[in-house]
Amino acid sequence: MKPSKINHKLILGLFAAAVFCFSIPQTAFSQTEKLGSITYTPPKGWKKSAKENIVTYSQIDEAAGKFGIITLYGATPGTGNAQSDFTREWNKLVVKPWGAEASPKTEAEVVDGWTAIAGGSAVDFQGNKAVAFLSVMSKAGTTVSVLGIFNEESYLPNLVAFSTSMDIRQTTVAVTPQPMREEPASTVPAGGDAMHVVTLVKDFESNEIRAGQTWSGKRVRIYGTINTIEVQKDGRISLTFKSSLAAYGNVRCYFNQSQSSRVGTLSTNQEATVEGTVRGWEGGYDGAKVFVLVENCVVP
């Protein structure tokens, strides 16, 4: 399936309508699960991964090169305006990580005080052409979002069924995040070996304060598959690594012009090792924490 051939209007209309089935009791479903005060039925046979107030289900057929990913983002404070909520979530969850268009075609509907706005766009997901569909539901200063990313339209019924099974009628106030269980922080590998970029990102995602104490201001050697290499307006060279299903964020490294010849030997989709000083989360749209910033980088 090529994303450019999808009838976006038809699918968006179907998805926007489907998300409002949460107002109807879903007696036909079983084995429901909960995320906060949201009840839903997970897609059968899909792999589950969870973090605070977020749950993701994925199905990947490596042999056929097909994948589908559904992520539910639990109740969080909204802006008080449904369109602003969608714009904020679209930029944070789709534009920044996957390079989607900034203003997708959307459809909206209002039921029982909830306003759902759904939009979709072609994206570059870890080097693969795919389609992302996001629905953001807003009511009384609270938002709930569902994001589907897939490169095969046969996964669409799973996204619709997942949205249809949701019951968020009791969600009327924002969920206050609870403190996460303390876990041992990662340490720099012995012998100066490089660590994978996902290890660094997961440390910041699991506990930003602890990760800052462990890594901020320290030189680290990391490796991964290159996603982009660009020259910024200030002349610095920016390199980002491809993301992973194991983590939502990513790493962005900045090089001075003195490293241009070394960076010039690298290419996108190539595995590379770099060394730099960790600064922490880089501010993105509306404060979105998408990239762990590593400065003064060099290619060893």
Side-chain angles (χ1 to χ4, degrees), residues 166-182:
M166 290 171 53
D167 183 351
I168 60 174
R169 289 174 297 175
Q170 301 304 311
T171 305
T172 56
V173 295
V175 173
T176 301
Q178 299 298 314
M180 296 184 67
R181 180 176 62 87
E182 289 293 325

Side-chain angles (χ1 to χ4, degrees), residues 187-231:
T187 57
V188 178
D193 294 336
M195 64 176 170
H196 198 280
V197 292
V198 172
T199 301
L200 181 61
V201 172
K202 288 179 69 175
D203 267 10
F204 275 90
E205 289 185 337
S206 65
N207 189 316
E208 183 178 353
I209 295 176
R210 185 181 63 229
Q213 295 170 343
T214 302
W215 301 115
S216 292
K218 295 183 179 179
R219 298 287 291 181
V220 298
R221 184 168 290 192
I222 53 178
Y223 73 93
T225 302
I226 298 173
N227 186 42
T228 64
I229 301 174
E230 301 173 326
V231 178

Side-chain angles (χ1 to χ4, degrees), residues 30-31 41-47 57-59 70 155 158 161-162:
S30 60
Q31 298 181 345
T41 300
K44 187 175 181 180
W46 288 43
K47 180 180 178 181
Y57 292 90
S58 60
Q59 187 172 83
I70 299 173
Y155 289 117
N158 297 103
F162 182 89

Side-chain angles (χ1 to χ4, degrees), residues 52-102:
E52 187 178 7
N53 207 33
I54 300 173
V55 62
T56 297
Y57 292 90
S58 60
Q59 187 172 83
I60 301 174
D61 185 341
E62 294 184 357
K66 299 187 296 185
F67 62 85
I69 303 168
I70 299 173
T71 303
L72 171 62
Y73 299 87
T76 57
T79 66
N81 178 278
Q83 184 59 56
S84 295
D85 288 342
F86 178 84
T87 299
R88 182 190 67 182
E89 297 302 294
W90 177 260
N91 277 275
K92 180 173 66 176
L93 303 176
V94 189
V95 176
K96 291 293 183 180
W98 316 121
E101 60 180 283

Side-chain angles (χ1 to χ4, degrees), residues 145-160:
S145 301
V146 180
L147 174 64
I149 300 178
F150 49 88
N151 67 346
E152 168 58 51
E153 58 188 289
S154 62
Y155 289 117
L156 177 61
N158 297 103
L159 178 59
V160 173

